[in-house]
Amino acid sequence: MTDNRMKSIYQKRTRIGDNILKVLIYLAAGVAIALLVGIMGYVFVRGLPQVSWQLLSTVQSSLKGTFGILGNIINTIYIIVITLIIAAPIGIGSAIYLNEYAKPGKLVRTIEFTTEILSGIPSIIFGLFGMVFFGMTLKLGYSVLTGSFTLTLMVLPLITRNTQEALKTVPDSYGALGIGATKWYMIRTILLPSAAPGILTGVILSIGRIVGESAALLFTAGSGFQLPKNLFGKLFESSGTLTIQLYLSMQKAKYDQAFGIAVVLLIIVLVINLLTRFLTNRFDVTKLK
């Protein structure tokens, strides 16, 4: 009788504690959702009326008195593509080396520690380094290449760490399927396809960081907004992205323009997040079985 009473009292106390924690969790989630909805709602209410076909399909012109961000959109695409072409192979390759080839020890710990430090450095410091080294020392000036090289340093930790974690989640039993094959064959045909969702997540999240970056690009890529005359010539020209143009509009107190650009940026970020979820589900081999 006593034991049953003590057991019921213990269960009651646990239930009360669980309920309190549940309320706090729901409260925290509600605050986060409210903040997200509030910020996005305010930006969309202020900026959506400013979004038009003219905004998206033209460039700025003092003579015509028009304002457009087509040049900035193209500059953003340029920087995303060039950065990923450089950063993705290096980041994925580094993760494969650390997980599959390097022997656990001081060297691996040092590389991982350095990667974590890189991910914590403020972006404006990357911008300062990129301007001095890529812009001045290598004489690339304000250009897509200078901005892309700088952003490569910034997103490498993100791609490398996500790829490492994705590779670690692949069951060891998958590797047993490659018995008799070379290590690279096993990595290429079994390990990488199995880790594809995590790798893609890291790559797409890095795109989100590239799209939202401003401080580093202001020092390295510049603020040019003209349309490219040819495909490769643009790589060496000053190229302001959407975030740079947003900053410049705010600096000039042109708030309507700034909110219009903000809406475009938010839509891009939402598309990136939806694409991340779709590709993760699409390439999740555990769900395909």
Side-chain angles (χ1 to χ4, degrees):
M1 184 70 176
T2 304
D3 293 339
N4 292 334
R5 184 179 298 173
M6 291 181 63
K7 186 176 181 180
S8 63
I9 294 173
Y10 176 76
Q11 289 176 344
K12 186 175 181 180
R13 288 178 179 174
T14 304
R15 205 176 301 118
I16 293 174
D18 289 344
N19 290 335
I20 293 174
L21 288 176
K22 187 180 293 185
V23 170
L24 292 176
I25 291 171
Y26 280 121
L27 180 63
V31 170
I33 294 172
L35 287 173
L36 176 62
V37 172
I39 292 172
M40 292 186 63
Y42 183 76
V43 172
F44 272 95
V45 168
R46 287 286 304 270
L48 204 55
Q50 311 304 323
V51 179
S52 63
W53 177 247
Q54 179 181 331
L55 177 72
L56 301 175
S57 61
T58 61
V59 296
Q60 298 181 54
S61 175
S62 300
L63 295 176
K64 297 179 181 179
T66 59
F67 176 78
I69 57 174
L70 179 60
N72 303 109
I73 293 173
I74 293 176
N75 293 339
T76 303
I77 294 173
Y78 261 98
I79 287 178
I80 289 173
V81 172
I82 300 301
T83 302
L84 290 183
I85 287 175
I86 301 170
I90 296 175
I92 295 172
S94 300
I96 292 174
Y97 169 76
L98 291 173
N99 272 49
E100 303 301 324
Y101 289 98
K103 295 181 179 179
K106 190 173 183 180
L107 177 61
V108 173
R109 290 196 299 270
T110 302
I111 294 174
E112 291 179 345
F113 179 69
T114 305
T115 302
E116 292 174 358
I117 290 178
L118 274 177
S119 63
I121 294 177
S123 60
I124 197 166
I125 296 179
F126 280 106
L128 180 62
F129 172 81
M131 179 185 68
V132 173
F133 183 73
F134 299 119
M136 296 181 179
T137 305
L138 299 184
K139 302 186 183 304
L140 294 175
Y142 289 101
S143 64
V144 168
L145 283 179
T146 304
S148 296
F149 288 149
T150 303
L151 288 177
T152 296
L153 300 178
M154 295 177 61
V155 302
L156 263 177
L158 182 60
I159 295 176
T160 302
R161 295 300 292 173
N162 272 275
T163 303
Q164 274 189 283
E165 295 303 318
L167 293 174
K168 289 177 181 178
T169 60
V170 178
D172 294 336
S173 57
Y174 283 24
L177 298 175
I179 293 177
T182 62
K183 191 176 186 66
W184 172 240
Y185 181 84
M186 187 270 293
I187 292 172
R188 179 168 54 87
T189 60
I190 299 174
L191 193 61
L192 287 179
S194 301
I199 296 173
L200 284 172
T201 299
V203 172
I204 297 177
L205 288 176
S206 68
I207 295 176
R209 180 163 189 185
I210 295 169
V211 170
E213 186 53 51
S214 58
L217 290 177
L218 189 63
F219 286 173
T220 56
S223 58
F225 54 83
Q226 298 299 328
L227 293 174
K229 296 179 181 178
N230 59 74
L231 183 63
F232 296 103
K234 187 65 175 175
L235 299 178
F236 302 94
E237 297 177 1
S238 175
S239 305
T241 61
L242 287 169
T243 50
I244 297 299
Q245 186 56 54
L246 173 60
Y247 165 76
L248 293 176
S249 296
M250 288 294 293
Q251 192 179 45
K252 298 173 184 177
K254 296 181 179 180
Y255 301 120
D256 290 339
Q257 293 179 2
F259 276 103
I261 299 171
V263 168
V264 176
L265 280 171
L266 278 179
I267 292 174
I268 292 174
V269 171
L270 287 174
V271 170
I272 289 173
N273 280 276
L274 292 174
L275 183 62
T276 302
R277 177 167 295 186
F278 170 77
L279 290 177
T280 300
N281 293 331
R282 176 68 176 80
F283 291 96
D284 192 344
V285 295
T286 60
K287 293 183 178 181
L288 294 176
K289 291 187 173 183

